[in-house]
Amino acid sequence: MSFTNYLEDKVLNHVFGGTAYTAPTTLYVGLFTAAPGETGGGTEVSGSGYARQSAAMSVSGTSPTEADNDAAIEFPTATGNQGTISHAGVFDASTGGNLLAYAELTDPADFSTPLPKTITTGDIFRIAAGNLKIRLD
């Protein structure tokens, strides 16, 4: 996952600028049908039963240090077509708020092969425990 400019600014100011950054108490995962970027943007899914889902993360390792989701993240059953999901993002609020990090959905077998998923009525989108990875190296 890539950090957004918003989070990069907060980290740099926290570490080097003397301006404390308070981490969000809850993180939320959102889904996109068009890629977000470092300034945010993209097209987040809306309607048809969609809602961002909270996620607890743990940080481990060194070189690289990695954060990943502690438990599976399950979105509500789609009540209509939500489109083809290509990206996921981590937010600091359940609605609105700031996009902190984002990534293209990839095959968990190698975490590099793009793996978009079309969500239609009755589908439930899930991210398995440990498969939402944020790595700094």
Side-chain angles (χ1 to χ4, degrees):
M1 287 195 126
S2 296
F3 281 14
T4 60
N5 289 345
Y6 170 84
L7 186 57
E8 290 170 351
D9 289 345
K10 294 296 183 186
V11 170
L12 284 172
N13 278 308
H14 180 83
V15 174
F16 300 107
T19 304
Y21 172 65
T22 302
T25 55
T26 305
L27 297 170
Y28 297 88
V29 176
L31 303 174
F32 292 84
T33 58
E38 288 207 3
T39 59
T43 304
E44 186 175 2
V45 174
S46 65
S48 300
Y50 170 80
R52 293 178 190 166
Q53 297 301 297
S54 62
M57 308 284 284
S58 292
V59 177
S60 62
T62 55
S63 297
T65 301
E66 181 174 272
D68 57 28
N69 56 314
D70 294 340
I73 301 165
E74 185 171 298
F75 289 81
T77 302
T79 59
N81 295 337
Q82 295 179 345
T84 300
I85 310 304
S86 61
H87 290 73
V90 178
F91 290 87
D92 60 7
S94 60
T95 60
N98 300 291
L99 179 62
L100 305 175
Y102 62 95
E104 182 175 32
L105 297 180
T106 57
D107 187 333
D110 62 16
F111 293 107
S112 62
T113 303
L115 189 64
K117 171 69 177 151
T118 300
I119 305 297
T120 59
T121 303
D123 288 344
I124 299 172
F125 189 90
R126 293 180 187 92
I127 300 171
N131 279 0
L132 182 66
K133 298 183 179 297
I134 301 171
R135 180 179 293 164
L136 298 178
D137 54 6

